[in-house]
Amino acid sequence: MRNIIDVVDLSKDEIKELIETALDIIENPKKYSTSCAGKKLATLFFEPSTRTRLSFEAAMYELGGNVLSVTGSDTSSASKGESVSDTAKVVSCYADIIAMRHPKEGSAYVASRSASVPVINAGDGGHCHPTQTLTDLLTIYRQKGRLDNITIGFCGDLKYGRTVHSLINALSRYDNIKVVLISPEELRLPGYMRYGVLDKNNVSYREVSDLESALKELDVLYMTRIQQERFASREEYLRLKDSYVLTAEKLSLAKSDLAILHPLPRVNEISVDVDKDPRACYFKQVLNGKYIRMALILKLLTEKDSPSLLQRDESLIKGIKCENPRCITSTEQEIEHLFKLVDKEKGIYRCVYCEAKVEK
């Protein structure tokens, strides 16, 4: 079964194909208006969402299909203790494809192992958000005309920001990508992303704490909010929430063709006086999200019985326990803890669900 759990489940050629399909949808919407007639998308959103859920639903409707929707764990059998695995099996009886958002990292992977229809990860805690990444790539491509030879700055919450992690994973496969990581010390990009993605792929990057000093060199600026829901302590959130605020005045330091992206929702990290600037692309991103999700739904329904071109490593290791409290294994005790060996010399293993590190 073909599923999209992480953006790296797609090859570069497949991403190019999806972008080309999305561009064709934009130019010829009527051509696709009945492409999913008779098909049903189930949107299972156990965590609050506006843009992602509505864009999936709008995408399916504009393809001529129908939608079955669950919003919030309190409105589903999850409130009775039903596992993600059982939920995926049940919903597979009703729908042709599933888009799921869940607060626990690795939940979409668990669902994909049990579902009999394609599963799209619409966000699993602070782990991955592949369709937001596809949205970002389409936006960058439409603004810059390319996905290589780009200097991109990521600003804000780089520790818990799943959109940041997914986009860095995707861009690391393109040529001459330069990354500037702008964050306070407490919200730096995790080591597994720096060493396991940027270093591994020889991506040039540097870490800074000052937004203004980095602005002048950027082709793309990816702003993020400080996410209160990812913090264990409200005090820590309040201390960091106003770390960066982009204003029209600060933009005087930036290139005239800078593209400003933000996965939304914003709180106050982008002032409303930036909205009128032609470099502001975050509302264009929203619309691009619908088009790229239309392209992805079409692809997965067409290729639902095909294996991924980028197969996940099935040589998994048992007998290690994941201690990450945000991992799906922390709440669903029947799930077998599985790890992959990522560095034999140093004895480093990572949880297959949440990528938490264990050294042995």
Side-chain angles (χ1 to χ4, degrees), residues 79-95:
S79 64
K80 304 173 186 177
E82 184 174 63
S83 68
V84 167
S85 179
D86 282 359
T87 297
K89 290 176 184 176
V90 169
V91 175
S92 294
C93 298
Y94 308 136

Side-chain angles (χ1 to χ4, degrees), residues 265-276:
R266 68 173 165 186
V267 182
N268 63 344
E269 61 277 359
I270 299 181
S271 173
V272 293
D273 64 8
V274 174
D275 294 354
K276 294 178 286 187

Side-chain angles (χ1 to χ4, degrees), residues 148-161:
D148 51 11
N149 300 305
I150 285 173
T151 298
I152 180 168
F154 292 93
C155 181
D157 179 3
L158 311 189
K159 180 178 182 179
Y160 300 112

